[in-house]
Amino acid sequence: MLNKFARALFTRLLTPVARFLLRIGLGPDAVTVIGTVGVCLGALVFYPLGQLFWGTVVITVFVFGDMLDGIMARLQGRKSTWGAFLDSSLDRFGDSAVFTGLAAWYFLDGDHHLTAMLSMACLVMGSIVSYVRARAEGLGVQAAGGIAERADRLLLTLVVTGLVGLGLPRMVLTVVLGVLAVLCLVTICQRIVAVRRQLLVATEQPEIAPDADADPLHEWTPDPDGVPAREAARVLLVNQHDEVLLIHGYDTDDSAHHWWFTVGGGLEPHETPAEGAAREVAEETGLRLDPAELVGPVCRRSAEFRFISKTVRQREEFFLARVDGDYDFSAEGWTDIERRTLGEFRWWSLPAIAASEETIYPSELCAILEPLLAGGWDGNTRHIN
């Protein structure tokens, strides 16, 4: 819940700090490690000594590193699988330290075993919440969300712990930890139900004829280095709220590999990029655009990525188009391969893109759109990664 409503706000607040850290030569991975070490020290040094308020202050300062590293990576225009893995792994250390530090205090000098036991229950339940999501993604389905996500648990625990350190009755913390343990259990059940629903839907999908899309890469021609390649055009569809339309995509041979990307695709023979862009918009969304009304190309790139378990190369030109966000998009024009690899449409605001932990292409999307939305296209075509 907090991820959905507050992450965009904190992203705007922390972006100047992220820019400063990059200027002084600090990288996202370093910030991840520093933040985790700070959280662990604050929890495992201050909490066992009964310094609940000051421990919370130290932890809160370093917790922001958990957001800063992602913002820094996006400002650099890169999406690192290693960085995401490192961040997720070290988060478990920080969370465990917070609840272990509380348990240590209340098992020892704090002398209230019920509070200590509830703190350990939150540690265990929180770990299972995270495990369910990780295991689901390993199966190629989603298990994010729920009534008590990590940010919700951490925020509530830190706020109440800090207030107890300032004199709030200890019983308040006991009750909150008990409620959190129950909410974690509810979240686990919510995620398990979501996974079961997705897997049932997947098994009920009709089988595709063996010869359908027998060669999904038939439009791709090998470059001199042997990598299948094609020319393509994409469109940045922006609505009246300055939100851009993205589509959820999946790899047919690796369901755990998924991403969000802009509308568009490969060009047909003798087709101009603008004509191909308009055609792709019509096929993928049902929306008809006049190629002459497309703005750009505002940017271009040559991208290599994994598709159908192969490395492919796509040379893309991006155009800008303003559309009505209330349009009812249609997937009737999708091919069989698109029906197997494409999912939902979603409008994304720039803060939502900057705050998201999802893989979004192109990685420089925010940097591309910011000047276009602020002052329009200046006539120059940017080269992006």
Side-chain angles (χ1 to χ4, degrees):
M1 294 172 65
L2 180 65
N3 281 340
K4 180 178 180 181
F5 296 107
R7 184 173 279 272
L9 171 62
F10 281 110
T11 296
R12 287 195 293 270
L13 294 176
L14 293 175
T15 295
V17 179
R19 293 185 189 278
F20 171 75
L21 294 176
L22 289 172
R23 282 200 300 271
I24 65 175
L26 207 59
D29 290 349
V31 170
T32 300
V33 174
I34 292 171
T36 300
V37 171
V39 169
C40 291
L41 289 176
L44 298 178
V45 173
F46 287 89
Y47 281 178
L49 295 176
Q51 298 294 323
L52 301 186
F53 174 73
W54 289 113
T56 298
V57 170
V58 172
I59 293 168
T60 301
V61 170
F62 285 100
V63 158
F64 284 112
D66 184 49
M67 296 187 66
L68 276 172
D69 53 6
I71 298 172
M72 292 168 70
R74 283 184 283 273
L75 288 175
Q76 290 182 323
R78 66 184 180 91
K79 199 79 172 181
S80 170
T81 302
W82 159 251
F85 169 79
L86 179 67
D87 182 60
S88 179
S89 299
L90 294 187
D91 280 348
R92 308 287 79 79
F93 281 95
D95 295 355
S96 299
V98 169
F99 290 109
T100 299
L102 284 174
W105 167 244
Y106 283 109
F107 269 132
L108 302 174
D109 293 343
D111 194 25
H112 198 270
H113 288 188
L114 175 59
T115 304
M117 292 297 294
L118 289 173
S119 180
M120 295 305 294
C122 288
L123 188 159
V124 173
M125 290 294 183
S127 297
I128 297 175
V129 169
S130 299
Y131 172 80
V132 170
R133 175 175 179 173
R135 188 69 185 95
E137 292 178 348
L139 295 174
V141 295
Q142 296 297 301
I147 195 171
E149 296 183 90
R150 175 179 180 266
D152 304 317
R153 302 192 302 269
L154 197 58
L155 174 65
L156 189 56
T157 301
L158 291 178
V159 169
V160 175
T161 300
L163 292 176
V164 169
L166 290 176
L168 191 70
R170 186 261 317 142
M171 184 55 67
V172 177
L173 179 58
T174 305
V175 171
V176 166
L177 291 175
V179 171
L180 274 181
V182 173
L183 293 180
C184 283
L185 180 59
V186 172
T187 302
I188 292 169
C189 293
Q190 288 176 315
R191 293 186 173 188
I192 290 175
V193 169
V195 170
R196 177 171 172 76
R197 184 183 301 116
Q198 292 173 73
L199 292 177
L200 286 176
V201 170
T203 59
E204 292 170 359
Q205 293 294 325
E207 292 188 5
I208 298 175
D211 60 342
D213 293 315
D215 182 13
L217 296 179
H218 68 277
E219 298 177 351
W220 306 67
T221 303
D223 271 349
D225 59 3
V227 176
R230 70 175 181 179
E231 305 298 319
R234 315 202 72 85
V235 181
L236 306 173
L237 290 173
V238 178
N239 67 11
Q240 66 270 34
H241 306 297
D242 285 346
E243 298 168 326
V244 62
L245 184 71
L246 300 180
I247 304 177
H248 204 184
Y250 304 85
D251 193 329
T252 56
D253 291 347
D254 182 5
S255 57
H257 181 206
H258 58 94
W259 60 91
W260 291 87
F261 66 112
T262 55
V263 177
L267 300 181
E268 295 181 351
H270 311 299
E271 192 174 46
T272 68
E275 291 170 345
R279 175 185 51 76
E280 284 289 333
V281 169
E283 292 176 354
E284 293 184 353
T285 71
L287 178 63
R288 304 290 175 178
L289 298 177
D290 184 344
E293 295 179 354
L294 296 179
V295 176
V298 297
C299 60
R300 59 171 55 99
R301 71 168 185 165
S302 178
E304 290 190 6
F305 51 91
R306 296 287 293 176
F307 185 62
I308 319 295
S309 296
K310 295 182 180 180
T311 298
V312 297
R313 181 178 297 128
Q314 188 160 263
R315 289 177 281 272
E316 304 173 334
E317 294 196 359
F318 289 78
F319 295 85
L320 174 69
R322 287 279 188 174
V323 297
D324 183 357
D326 298 325
Y327 182 83
D328 187 15
F329 296 109
S330 169
E332 291 183 2
W334 290 4
T335 63
D336 285 338
I337 188 66
E338 287 173 332
R339 294 183 187 281
R340 292 157 53 194
T341 59
L342 301 183
E344 64 176 307
F345 297 104
R346 184 189 301 177
W347 291 106
W348 290 70
S349 67
L350 294 192
I353 293 172
S356 177
E357 296 178 357
E358 299 272 6
T359 299
I360 297 176
Y361 294 118
S363 58
E364 298 177 52
L365 186 56
C366 283
I368 297 167
L369 283 172
E370 283 177 352
L372 294 174
L373 299 181
W377 185 44
D378 61 5
N380 295 315
T381 302
R382 293 181 52 179
H383 289 268
I384 61 174
N385 295 320

